[in-house]
Amino acid sequence: MDALVKFQKNCPTSFHVPGHKSGLLSELPQEMKSALLYDMTELEGLDDLHAPKAAIKEAENLLAHAYGADKSYFLVNGSTAGNLAMIHAACKGGDRVIVQRNSHQSVFHALELAQVNPVYVAPEWDETSKSAAAVSVSSVASALKDYPDVKAVVLTYPNYYGMGSTDLKAIIELCHQQNIAVLVDEAHGAHFIAGAPFPLSALALGADAVVQSAHKTLPAMTMGSYLHVQGKLLDKQAIRKYLRIFQSSSPSYPIMASLDDARSYVQNYSETDKHAFLEKRRHFVSSLKNISLLEVVESDDPLKLLLRVKEHGGFQLKEALEKMGIYAELADPFQVLLILPLIKREHAYPYAEICSNIEEAVNNVRRQDHIKMNFQTRSNPVTVPELLFHEVAAAPREWVPYTQAAGRISAAMVTPYPPGIPLVIAGEKWSLDMVEALEGYLASGAEIQGEHLLAQKMVMVTRRE
């Protein structure tokens, strides 16, 4: 951040990319245009993300020190780039990899590109958050026993709703006993180094590589993320190589500056700041709990709150909140998820006004028709796909009504987004539970990503022959 500010103080003349020439040619609104002064390229004094020697190297070293990693990297293509890089660095084509079944779609994309053989471990259902949470150490142990040639284990911690895992440390220790690297998608945990009552980071619990979306819970720009590596089970040169492959060769300097700023923000987050945050949060939660028929569910992560209106769906509440100018992180059939700001003592947030608007939104929802939601997908603790990714790619395909998909092998990923956790993965067999869950999502108004024709009620499967 300092390097960018220093560079601009010299009033440089641009005969280089980008073509907006420090914003001179831009016709964006002035509030946006001013940021273009810092939208630079690899110039003298500004360093190079893919071969850092100066300011970026120093910033990444500060990041590693703050998080206790051996090596840390700035990611300007989001946590997706980190998931791609760490999985490719840990595995080669044909390797067997254990992966948590409720991982983000970017993890499955990485597995497909790496051409590995996945073993899916189902998470435990968490009734508190009504979501798939963490995998158990017994499930991982069972998978390792059945598949002793596993080269890596890919886990998600915490889940999107902020629910953690009491088994994560034991899973990491179990894997390390067999020299198996543990890779953790910790997209929602960049703020965990602020200390209790926030959960411990997977890095502190011993994971070999951890990806964090700094833009999700810290004051970083969208697409700004971190990748941390420690120990001897991963080749750090391979990590750097794959980051060069999967990240832009023209990285965003504003995003990098915001990552530097976010690291400084959380590293200097004091006990006084945390006390102020927790007090304001306590008053906010207390006020919400006084709203009639509103259920407030607290997560393992104090930044996450779940709101439910009895006998109504989450998408109903989301729509009512948006009419009051309140935009939640996501809705699912049961609830909406709020991500609170990690404020410091000097920050003001209009919680009283927000609470009043939420109450009005809840009253509006109560006047709507009741919706009953009571579904969850069930699966065996450890499964392997019917077809591997490359086999799916080579197989003939056809479209079928999704109501007739049970028992058929999916030829595509179908993903409610957010949270971006696939309902079915290419190569998996559609189950009746999956079909019923899809019907529930569609009835609730959920957004579904993937290769599908759900507007025509069709999904893609492999042909039976």
Side-chain angles (χ1 to χ4, degrees):
M1 186 176 68
D2 290 341
L4 276 171
V5 172
K6 180 180 178 181
F7 187 85
Q8 274 304 330
K9 282 183 178 178
N10 293 326
C11 300
T13 300
S14 172
F15 284 103
H16 56 77
V17 299
H20 58 67
K21 303 301 178 184
S22 299
L24 177 67
L25 306 187
S26 173
E27 296 182 353
L28 288 169
Q30 187 57 46
E31 294 84 357
M32 300 171 67
K33 186 175 178 178
S34 59
L36 299 184
L37 283 172
Y38 302 96
D39 185 28
M40 289 288 120
T41 189
E42 293 86 351
L43 303 172
E44 185 66 30
L46 295 183
D47 209 359
D48 182 347
L49 177 64
H50 297 297
K53 298 182 180 65
I56 296 173
K57 181 179 180 180
E58 182 181 351
E60 289 186 332
N61 287 343
L62 287 168
L63 177 65
H65 176 73
Y67 282 86
D70 292 345
K71 184 67 179 172
S72 294
Y73 307 89
F74 283 170
L75 305 177
V76 296
N77 286 55
S79 287
T80 293
N83 286 333
L84 288 163
M86 70 178 180
I87 288 172
H88 277 76
C91 316
K92 63 180 185 297
D95 282 349
R96 200 178 302 277
V97 178
I98 291 174
V99 59
Q100 186 168 327
R101 179 54 186 79
N102 62 324
S103 295
H104 188 264
Q105 59 184 333
S106 63
V107 169
F108 298 105
H109 290 153
L111 298 175
E112 182 175 359
L113 287 175
Q115 297 185 349
V116 301
N117 299 342
V119 176
Y120 301 136
V121 179
E124 303 289 318
W125 179 261
D126 179 67
E127 187 58 33
T128 300
S129 64
K130 295 190 180 297
S131 67
V135 298
S136 67
V137 65
S138 60
S139 293
V140 175
S142 177
L144 289 172
K145 181 180 178 181
D146 292 343
Y147 303 97
D149 58 342
V150 162
K151 293 295 190 293
V153 174
V154 185
L155 302 174
T156 299
Y157 166 89
N159 75 351
Y160 211 123
Y161 299 81
M163 308 308 292
S165 168
T166 57
D167 283 3
L168 182 56
K169 184 175 178 62
I171 291 171
I172 293 170
E173 291 173 349
L174 174 66
C175 293
H176 284 177
Q177 289 169 10
Q178 302 179 44
N179 290 320
I180 296 171
V182 179
L183 319 177
V184 179
D185 180 354
E186 194 176 87
H188 288 261
H191 60 294
F192 285 178
I193 62 166
F198 298 105
L200 281 172
S201 168
L203 199 68
L205 295 174
D208 301 280
V210 175
V211 175
Q212 299 169 331
S213 295
H215 67 93
K216 282 182 165 57
T217 57
L218 297 181
M221 290 176 65
T222 297
M223 293 176 68
S225 296
Y226 301 138
L227 170 58
H228 309 287
V229 184
Q230 64 183 357
K232 298 180 180 179
L233 293 179
L234 288 178
D235 183 345
K236 298 177 182 62
Q237 292 294 38
I239 292 280
R240 179 66 80 180
K241 168 190 170 182
Y242 284 107
L243 286 177
R244 286 196 296 270
I245 291 173
F246 291 118
Q247 295 209 96
S248 171
S249 60
S250 301
S252 165
Y253 278 79
I255 289 178
M256 287 190 284
S258 77
L259 285 171
D260 198 16
D261 176 58
R263 183 272 312 158
S264 177
Y265 184 93
V266 71
Q267 189 174 15
N268 293 293
Y269 197 76
S270 69
E271 288 298 315
T272 303
D273 292 327
K274 187 162 52 176
H275 177 75
F277 160 73
L278 292 172
E279 274 296 295
K280 291 176 181 178
R281 178 189 180 279
R282 184 178 63 82
H283 287 298
F284 180 51
V285 171
S286 178
S287 298
L288 290 176
K289 287 182 176 180
N290 286 328
I291 298 175
S292 178
L293 295 185
L294 179 67
E295 182 183 1
V296 182
V297 180
E298 299 184 57
S299 175
D300 294 339
D301 178 3
L303 281 192
K304 304 292 181 71
L305 278 182
L306 298 169
L307 303 183
R308 301 172 189 152
V309 178
K310 294 179 181 178
E311 299 183 328
H312 291 82
F315 295 100
Q316 288 177 301
L317 179 55
K318 176 178 178 285
E319 183 179 352
L321 288 171
E322 290 176 353
K323 288 180 179 178
M324 299 303 301
I326 297 171
Y327 291 84
E329 170 64 14
L330 65 82
D332 67 26
F334 305 102
Q335 60 212 343
V336 297
L337 170 66
L338 306 184
I339 300 181
L340 305 183
L342 186 68
I343 57 176
K344 292 187 175 182
R345 59 180 176 175
E346 67 267 22
H347 295 143
Y349 215 72
Y351 279 126
E353 179 184 346
I354 292 169
C355 192
S356 177
N357 289 337
I358 289 176
E359 183 171 18
E360 186 170 343
V362 170
N363 289 334
N364 290 334
V365 170
R366 289 167 59 187
R367 291 190 283 267
Q368 298 177 25
D369 293 337
H370 291 185
I371 293 179
K372 185 177 181 180
M373 285 296 168
N374 186 28
F375 67 84
Q376 58 171 291
T377 56
R378 296 177 293 274
S379 61
N380 295 325
V382 180
T383 59
V384 294
E386 299 287 327
L387 296 176
L388 299 176
F389 292 119
H390 71 275
E391 293 173 328
V392 175
R397 309 176 182 196
E398 62 182 341
W399 295 97
V400 299
Y402 72 79
T403 54
Q404 300 174 21
R408 303 295 299 274
I409 298 172
S410 180
M413 192 183 300
V414 177
T415 307
Y417 195 91
I421 297 164
L423 179 62
V424 66
I425 302 166
E428 282 188 319
K429 186 176 286 185
W430 278 93
S431 67
L432 185 59
D433 286 337
M434 290 174 178
V435 172
E436 290 176 348
L438 179 59
E439 288 182 319
Y441 278 114
L442 292 172
S444 302
E447 183 71 26
I448 309 292
Q449 292 187 352
E451 196 173 357
H452 59 73
L453 293 174
L454 288 173
Q456 288 81 46
K457 301 183 178 181
M458 308 285 279
V459 294
M460 185 187 295
V461 298
T462 61
R463 287 183 186 164
R464 289 191 187 278
E465 67 268 26

